mmCIF file of all heavy atoms in Angstrom:
data_model
loop_
_atom_site.group_PDB
_atom_site.id
_atom_site.type_symbol
_atom_site.label_atom_id
_atom_site.label_comp_id
_atom_site.label_asym_id
_atom_site.label_seq_id
_atom_site.Cartn_x
_atom_site.Cartn_y
_atom_site.Cartn_z
ATOM 1 N N LEU A 151 53.379 3.069 22.570
ATOM 2 C CA LEU A 151 54.696 2.442 22.652
ATOM 3 C C LEU A 151 55.780 3.484 22.899
ATOM 4 O O LEU A 151 56.728 3.228 23.653
ATOM 5 C CB LEU A 151 54.988 1.667 21.370
ATOM 6 C CG LEU A 151 56.258 0.817 21.370
ATOM 7 C CD1 LEU A 151 56.256 -0.164 22.533
ATOM 8 C CD2 LEU A 151 56.409 0.066 20.047
ATOM 9 N N LEU A 152 55.652 4.656 22.291
ATOM 10 C CA LEU A 152 56.645 5.702 22.535
ATOM 11 C C LEU A 152 56.664 6.132 23.993
ATOM 12 O O LEU A 152 57.705 6.471 24.543
ATOM 13 C CB LEU A 152 56.363 6.897 21.625
ATOM 14 C CG LEU A 152 56.737 6.751 20.150
ATOM 15 C CD1 LEU A 152 56.324 8.006 19.377
ATOM 16 C CD2 LEU A 152 58.238 6.501 19.986
ATOM 17 N N LYS A 153 55.499 6.108 24.643
ATOM 18 C CA LYS A 153 55.396 6.552 26.039
ATOM 19 C C LYS A 153 55.574 5.407 27.044
ATOM 20 O O LYS A 153 55.565 5.648 28.253
ATOM 21 C CB LYS A 153 54.038 7.210 26.260
ATOM 22 C CG LYS A 153 53.834 8.501 25.481
ATOM 23 C CD LYS A 153 52.536 9.193 25.863
ATOM 24 C CE LYS A 153 51.327 8.373 25.496
ATOM 25 N NZ LYS A 153 50.054 9.079 25.795
ATOM 26 N N PHE A 154 55.711 4.184 26.547
ATOM 27 C CA PHE A 154 55.735 3.016 27.432
ATOM 28 C C PHE A 154 56.877 3.094 28.452
ATOM 29 O O PHE A 154 58.013 3.424 28.123
ATOM 30 C CB PHE A 154 55.886 1.739 26.597
ATOM 31 C CG PHE A 154 56.066 0.494 27.407
ATOM 32 C CD1 PHE A 154 55.007 -0.036 28.155
ATOM 33 C CD2 PHE A 154 57.292 -0.161 27.444
ATOM 34 C CE1 PHE A 154 55.186 -1.179 28.904
ATOM 35 C CE2 PHE A 154 57.469 -1.311 28.194
ATOM 36 C CZ PHE A 154 56.411 -1.827 28.932
ATOM 37 N N ASP A 155 56.535 2.766 29.719
ATOM 38 C CA ASP A 155 57.531 2.729 30.795
ATOM 39 C C ASP A 155 57.591 1.301 31.342
ATOM 40 O O ASP A 155 56.691 0.860 32.059
ATOM 41 C CB ASP A 155 57.144 3.697 31.910
ATOM 42 C CG ASP A 155 58.179 3.723 33.038
ATOM 43 O OD1 ASP A 155 59.190 3.000 32.944
ATOM 44 O OD2 ASP A 155 57.950 4.471 34.018
ATOM 45 N N PRO A 156 58.635 0.543 31.033
ATOM 46 C CA PRO A 156 58.704 -0.860 31.483
ATOM 47 C C PRO A 156 58.797 -1.007 32.991
ATOM 48 O O PRO A 156 58.451 -2.058 33.538
ATOM 49 C CB PRO A 156 59.978 -1.377 30.796
ATOM 50 C CG PRO A 156 60.808 -0.162 30.544
ATOM 51 C CD PRO A 156 59.825 0.939 30.251
ATOM 52 N N HIS A 157 59.234 0.042 33.670
ATOM 53 C CA HIS A 157 59.388 -0.058 35.124
ATOM 54 C C HIS A 157 58.049 -0.298 35.816
ATOM 55 O O HIS A 157 58.003 -0.921 36.887
ATOM 56 C CB HIS A 157 60.040 1.207 35.674
ATOM 57 C CG HIS A 157 61.448 1.409 35.198
ATOM 58 N ND1 HIS A 157 61.753 2.189 34.100
ATOM 59 C CD2 HIS A 157 62.624 0.910 35.649
ATOM 60 C CE1 HIS A 157 63.065 2.184 33.913
ATOM 61 N NE2 HIS A 157 63.623 1.406 34.825
ATOM 62 N N VAL A 158 56.983 0.203 35.220
ATOM 63 C CA VAL A 158 55.670 0.006 35.840
ATOM 64 C C VAL A 158 55.324 -1.472 35.906
ATOM 65 O O VAL A 158 54.906 -1.994 36.948
ATOM 66 C CB VAL A 158 54.589 0.780 35.052
ATOM 67 C CG1 VAL A 158 53.200 0.468 35.608
ATOM 68 C CG2 VAL A 158 54.855 2.269 35.100
ATOM 69 N N LEU A 159 55.512 -2.183 34.774
ATOM 70 C CA LEU A 159 55.215 -3.613 34.764
ATOM 71 C C LEU A 159 56.205 -4.398 35.617
ATOM 72 O O LEU A 159 55.827 -5.340 36.317
ATOM 73 C CB LEU A 159 55.234 -4.141 33.328
ATOM 74 C CG LEU A 159 54.081 -3.713 32.414
ATOM 75 C CD1 LEU A 159 54.186 -4.418 31.070
ATOM 76 C CD2 LEU A 159 52.736 -4.011 33.049
ATOM 77 N N HIS A 160 57.467 -4.010 35.558
ATOM 78 C CA HIS A 160 58.465 -4.715 36.375
ATOM 79 C C HIS A 160 58.185 -4.535 37.868
ATOM 80 O O HIS A 160 58.343 -5.485 38.654
ATOM 81 C CB HIS A 160 59.870 -4.222 36.039
ATOM 82 C CG HIS A 160 60.422 -4.789 34.768
ATOM 83 N ND1 HIS A 160 60.402 -6.124 34.466
ATOM 84 C CD2 HIS A 160 61.028 -4.169 33.698
ATOM 85 C CE1 HIS A 160 60.965 -6.326 33.283
ATOM 86 N NE2 HIS A 160 61.343 -5.161 32.786
ATOM 87 N N ASP A 161 57.777 -3.356 38.267
ATOM 88 C CA ASP A 161 57.456 -3.122 39.674
ATOM 89 C C ASP A 161 56.233 -3.939 40.094
ATOM 90 O O ASP A 161 56.181 -4.476 41.210
ATOM 91 C CB ASP A 161 57.193 -1.632 39.924
ATOM 92 C CG ASP A 161 58.470 -0.808 39.889
ATOM 93 O OD1 ASP A 161 59.569 -1.410 39.955
ATOM 94 O OD2 ASP A 161 58.378 0.435 39.785
ATOM 95 N N THR A 162 55.259 -4.030 39.192
ATOM 96 C CA THR A 162 54.077 -4.846 39.492
ATOM 97 C C THR A 162 54.462 -6.314 39.608
ATOM 98 O O THR A 162 53.990 -7.034 40.506
ATOM 99 C CB THR A 162 53.013 -4.663 38.398
ATOM 100 O OG1 THR A 162 52.719 -3.276 38.238
ATOM 101 C CG2 THR A 162 51.741 -5.412 38.757
ATOM 102 N N ALA A 163 55.320 -6.756 38.698
ATOM 103 C CA ALA A 163 55.802 -8.140 38.758
ATOM 104 C C ALA A 163 56.537 -8.400 40.072
ATOM 105 O O ALA A 163 56.383 -9.469 40.684
ATOM 106 C CB ALA A 163 56.737 -8.420 37.579
ATOM 107 N N LYS A 164 57.311 -7.416 40.490
ATOM 108 C CA LYS A 164 58.031 -7.562 41.761
ATOM 109 C C LYS A 164 57.057 -7.743 42.913
ATOM 110 O O LYS A 164 57.299 -8.531 43.843
ATOM 111 C CB LYS A 164 58.909 -6.327 41.989
ATOM 112 C CG LYS A 164 59.806 -6.414 43.211
ATOM 113 C CD LYS A 164 60.695 -5.180 43.315
ATOM 114 C CE LYS A 164 61.604 -5.257 44.536
ATOM 115 N NZ LYS A 164 62.464 -4.044 44.645
ATOM 116 N N GLY A 165 55.947 -7.047 42.873
ATOM 117 C CA GLY A 165 54.932 -7.193 43.913
ATOM 118 C C GLY A 165 54.326 -8.582 43.931
ATOM 119 O O GLY A 165 54.150 -9.199 44.990
ATOM 120 N N TRP A 166 54.008 -9.113 42.741
ATOM 121 C CA TRP A 166 53.463 -10.464 42.664
ATOM 122 C C TRP A 166 54.487 -11.492 43.131
ATOM 123 O O TRP A 166 54.138 -12.454 43.840
ATOM 124 C CB TRP A 166 53.053 -10.776 41.222
ATOM 125 C CG TRP A 166 51.728 -10.212 40.838
ATOM 126 C CD1 TRP A 166 51.480 -9.149 40.018
ATOM 127 C CD2 TRP A 166 50.445 -10.689 41.259
ATOM 128 N NE1 TRP A 166 50.128 -8.924 39.911
ATOM 129 C CE2 TRP A 166 49.468 -9.853 40.662
ATOM 130 C CE3 TRP A 166 50.031 -11.724 42.091
ATOM 131 C CZ2 TRP A 166 48.105 -10.048 40.870
ATOM 132 C CZ3 TRP A 166 48.669 -11.924 42.295
ATOM 133 C CH2 TRP A 166 47.721 -11.090 41.695
ATOM 134 N N ARG A 167 55.738 -11.274 42.775
ATOM 135 C CA ARG A 167 56.770 -12.221 43.197
ATOM 136 C C ARG A 167 56.970 -12.152 44.714
ATOM 137 O O ARG A 167 57.200 -13.177 45.365
ATOM 138 C CB ARG A 167 58.078 -11.919 42.457
ATOM 139 C CG ARG A 167 59.121 -13.007 42.586
ATOM 140 C CD ARG A 167 60.192 -12.885 41.520
ATOM 141 N NE ARG A 167 59.730 -13.394 40.228
ATOM 142 C CZ ARG A 167 59.571 -12.645 39.149
ATOM 143 N NH1 ARG A 167 59.839 -11.343 39.190
ATOM 144 N NH2 ARG A 167 59.159 -13.174 38.024
ATOM 145 N N GLY A 168 56.864 -10.960 45.255
ATOM 146 C CA GLY A 168 56.962 -10.824 46.708
ATOM 147 C C GLY A 168 55.833 -11.569 47.399
ATOM 148 O O GLY A 168 56.028 -12.190 48.456
ATOM 149 N N LEU A 169 54.634 -11.507 46.811
ATOM 150 C CA LEU A 169 53.506 -12.257 47.371
ATOM 151 C C LEU A 169 53.786 -13.749 47.330
ATOM 152 O O LEU A 169 53.529 -14.473 48.304
ATOM 153 C CB LEU A 169 52.236 -11.942 46.579
ATOM 154 C CG LEU A 169 50.991 -12.775 46.934
ATOM 155 C CD1 LEU A 169 50.581 -12.545 48.386
ATOM 156 C CD2 LEU A 169 49.841 -12.449 45.982
ATOM 157 N N SER A 170 54.337 -14.217 46.211
ATOM 158 C CA SER A 170 54.660 -15.640 46.089
ATOM 159 C C SER A 170 55.648 -16.073 47.163
ATOM 160 O O SER A 170 55.476 -17.111 47.807
ATOM 161 C CB SER A 170 55.247 -15.925 44.696
ATOM 162 O OG SER A 170 55.616 -17.276 44.579
ATOM 163 N N HIS A 171 56.679 -15.280 47.371
ATOM 164 C CA HIS A 171 57.690 -15.630 48.371
ATOM 165 C C HIS A 171 57.104 -15.570 49.785
ATOM 166 O O HIS A 171 57.455 -16.392 50.642
ATOM 167 C CB HIS A 171 58.882 -14.689 48.264
ATOM 168 C CG HIS A 171 59.590 -14.794 46.948
ATOM 169 N ND1 HIS A 171 60.567 -13.904 46.551
ATOM 170 C CD2 HIS A 171 59.461 -15.674 45.929
ATOM 171 C CE1 HIS A 171 61.004 -14.249 45.349
ATOM 172 N NE2 HIS A 171 60.336 -15.295 44.947
ATOM 173 N N ALA A 172 56.196 -14.621 50.022
ATOM 174 C CA ALA A 172 55.589 -14.488 51.344
ATOM 175 C C ALA A 172 54.734 -15.701 51.681
ATOM 176 O O ALA A 172 54.795 -16.221 52.808
ATOM 177 C CB ALA A 172 54.756 -13.203 51.410
ATOM 178 N N VAL A 173 53.938 -16.167 50.710
ATOM 179 C CA VAL A 173 53.084 -17.318 51.012
ATOM 180 C C VAL A 173 53.913 -18.604 51.089
ATOM 181 O O VAL A 173 53.558 -19.532 51.828
ATOM 182 C CB VAL A 173 51.949 -17.468 49.976
ATOM 183 C CG1 VAL A 173 51.007 -16.285 50.043
ATOM 184 C CG2 VAL A 173 52.473 -17.658 48.568
ATOM 185 N N GLU A 174 55.023 -18.652 50.338
ATOM 186 C CA GLU A 174 55.916 -19.807 50.472
ATOM 187 C C GLU A 174 56.464 -19.879 51.894
ATOM 188 O O GLU A 174 56.488 -20.946 52.522
ATOM 189 C CB GLU A 174 57.068 -19.692 49.481
ATOM 190 C CG GLU A 174 58.092 -20.813 49.616
ATOM 191 C CD GLU A 174 59.370 -20.545 48.851
ATOM 192 O OE1 GLU A 174 59.480 -19.474 48.239
ATOM 193 O OE2 GLU A 174 60.257 -21.409 48.880
ATOM 194 N N ASP A 175 56.875 -18.738 52.413
ATOM 195 C CA ASP A 175 57.385 -18.688 53.779
ATOM 196 C C ASP A 175 56.292 -19.026 54.783
ATOM 197 O O ASP A 175 56.522 -19.757 55.745
ATOM 198 C CB ASP A 175 57.955 -17.292 54.060
ATOM 199 C CG ASP A 175 58.546 -17.177 55.452
ATOM 200 O OD1 ASP A 175 59.512 -17.913 55.749
ATOM 201 O OD2 ASP A 175 58.035 -16.360 56.242
ATOM 202 N N ALA A 176 55.093 -18.497 54.530
ATOM 203 C CA ALA A 176 53.974 -18.781 55.431
ATOM 204 C C ALA A 176 53.646 -20.272 55.426
ATOM 205 O O ALA A 176 53.368 -20.865 56.483
ATOM 206 C CB ALA A 176 52.747 -17.969 55.016
ATOM 207 N N GLY A 177 53.666 -20.886 54.226
ATOM 208 C CA GLY A 177 53.393 -22.318 54.146
ATOM 209 C C GLY A 177 54.430 -23.134 54.883
ATOM 210 O O GLY A 177 54.102 -24.102 55.573
ATOM 211 N N SER A 178 55.686 -22.743 54.760
ATOM 212 C CA SER A 178 56.753 -23.457 55.446
ATOM 213 C C SER A 178 56.595 -23.346 56.960
ATOM 214 O O SER A 178 56.745 -24.333 57.693
ATOM 215 C CB SER A 178 58.113 -22.895 55.011
ATOM 216 O OG SER A 178 59.160 -23.532 55.699
ATOM 217 N N ARG A 179 56.287 -22.147 57.425
ATOM 218 C CA ARG A 179 56.100 -21.957 58.873
ATOM 219 C C ARG A 179 54.862 -22.691 59.367
ATOM 220 O O ARG A 179 54.848 -23.232 60.472
ATOM 221 C CB ARG A 179 56.015 -20.469 59.189
ATOM 222 C CG ARG A 179 57.376 -19.777 59.113
ATOM 223 C CD ARG A 179 57.337 -18.344 59.595
ATOM 224 N NE ARG A 179 56.719 -17.466 58.611
ATOM 225 C CZ ARG A 179 55.549 -16.869 58.759
ATOM 226 N NH1 ARG A 179 54.843 -17.076 59.860
ATOM 227 N NH2 ARG A 179 55.061 -16.092 57.814
ATOM 228 N N HIS A 180 53.811 -22.714 58.553
ATOM 229 C CA HIS A 180 52.589 -23.424 58.948
ATOM 230 C C HIS A 180 52.870 -24.920 59.113
ATOM 231 O O HIS A 180 52.442 -25.538 60.094
ATOM 232 C CB HIS A 180 51.503 -23.205 57.891
ATOM 233 C CG HIS A 180 50.193 -23.850 58.227
ATOM 234 N ND1 HIS A 180 49.906 -25.152 57.899
ATOM 235 C CD2 HIS A 180 49.100 -23.363 58.868
ATOM 236 C CE1 HIS A 180 48.684 -25.455 58.322
ATOM 237 N NE2 HIS A 180 48.174 -24.392 58.902
ATOM 238 N N ARG A 181 53.620 -25.488 58.163
ATOM 239 C CA ARG A 181 53.935 -26.906 58.256
ATOM 240 C C ARG A 181 54.837 -27.194 59.450
ATOM 241 O O ARG A 181 54.628 -28.173 60.176
ATOM 242 C CB ARG A 181 54.613 -27.382 56.969
ATOM 243 C CG ARG A 181 53.654 -27.622 55.815
ATOM 244 C CD ARG A 181 54.362 -28.207 54.602
ATOM 245 N NE ARG A 181 55.154 -27.199 53.916
ATOM 246 C CZ ARG A 181 54.692 -26.404 52.975
ATOM 247 N NH1 ARG A 181 53.429 -26.487 52.609
ATOM 248 N NH2 ARG A 181 55.466 -25.513 52.386
ATOM 249 N N GLY A 182 55.844 -26.340 59.649
ATOM 250 C CA GLY A 182 56.816 -26.606 60.700
ATOM 251 C C GLY A 182 56.324 -26.324 62.103
ATOM 252 O O GLY A 182 56.669 -27.041 63.042
ATOM 253 N N LYS A 183 55.492 -25.280 62.265
ATOM 254 C CA LYS A 183 55.110 -24.853 63.616
ATOM 255 C C LYS A 183 53.674 -25.208 64.001
ATOM 256 O O LYS A 183 53.306 -25.091 65.170
ATOM 257 C CB LYS A 183 55.320 -23.345 63.746
ATOM 258 C CG LYS A 183 56.782 -22.930 63.601
ATOM 259 C CD LYS A 183 56.975 -21.447 63.846
ATOM 260 C CE LYS A 183 58.450 -21.063 63.753
ATOM 261 N NZ LYS A 183 58.689 -19.624 64.011
ATOM 262 N N VAL A 184 52.868 -25.595 63.021
ATOM 263 C CA VAL A 184 51.472 -25.933 63.329
ATOM 264 C C VAL A 184 51.178 -27.377 62.975
ATOM 265 O O VAL A 184 50.825 -28.189 63.832
ATOM 266 C CB VAL A 184 50.495 -24.994 62.570
ATOM 267 C CG1 VAL A 184 49.049 -25.385 62.884
ATOM 268 C CG2 VAL A 184 50.758 -23.544 62.946
ATOM 269 N N ASN A 185 51.353 -27.701 61.716
ATOM 270 C CA ASN A 185 50.969 -29.021 61.232
ATOM 271 C C ASN A 185 51.797 -30.134 61.870
ATOM 272 O O ASN A 185 51.257 -31.103 62.403
ATOM 273 C CB ASN A 185 51.106 -29.068 59.707
ATOM 274 C CG ASN A 185 50.261 -30.166 59.094
ATOM 275 O OD1 ASN A 185 49.841 -31.083 59.770
ATOM 276 N ND2 ASN A 185 50.038 -30.073 57.797
ATOM 277 N N VAL A 186 53.114 -30.003 61.792
ATOM 278 C CA VAL A 186 53.987 -31.069 62.279
ATOM 279 C C VAL A 186 53.811 -31.338 63.768
ATOM 280 O O VAL A 186 53.621 -32.490 64.170
ATOM 281 C CB VAL A 186 55.463 -30.743 61.956
ATOM 282 C CG1 VAL A 186 56.395 -31.676 62.702
ATOM 283 C CG2 VAL A 186 55.702 -30.855 60.453
ATOM 284 N N PRO A 187 53.835 -30.316 64.642
ATOM 285 C CA PRO A 187 53.656 -30.609 66.065
ATOM 286 C C PRO A 187 52.306 -31.256 66.378
ATOM 287 O O PRO A 187 52.228 -32.164 67.221
ATOM 288 C CB PRO A 187 53.768 -29.223 66.721
ATOM 289 C CG PRO A 187 54.575 -28.422 65.767
ATOM 290 C CD PRO A 187 54.151 -28.897 64.417
#
């Protein structure tokens, strides 16, 4: 606990959140440009 660095977990969380946003965008584009037409 004395050596704990919260930035490591926050940076990892940021990566997971970036993945979530990327697939959300991919899903939206898939529906709009592939599925719908």
Side-chain angles (χ1 to χ4, degrees):
L151 187 56
L152 285 177
K153 294 187 295 183
F154 174 71
D155 182 1
H157 295 95
V158 174
L159 289 185
H160 282 311
D161 287 345
T162 306
K164 185 177 180 181
W166 279 107
R167 193 162 282 115
L169 173 62
S170 177
H171 297 170
V173 295
E174 176 192 2
D175 182 62
S178 178
R179 286 187 284 111
H180 182 273
R181 282 185 285 272
K183 296 185 178 181
V184 179
N185 202 342
V186 168

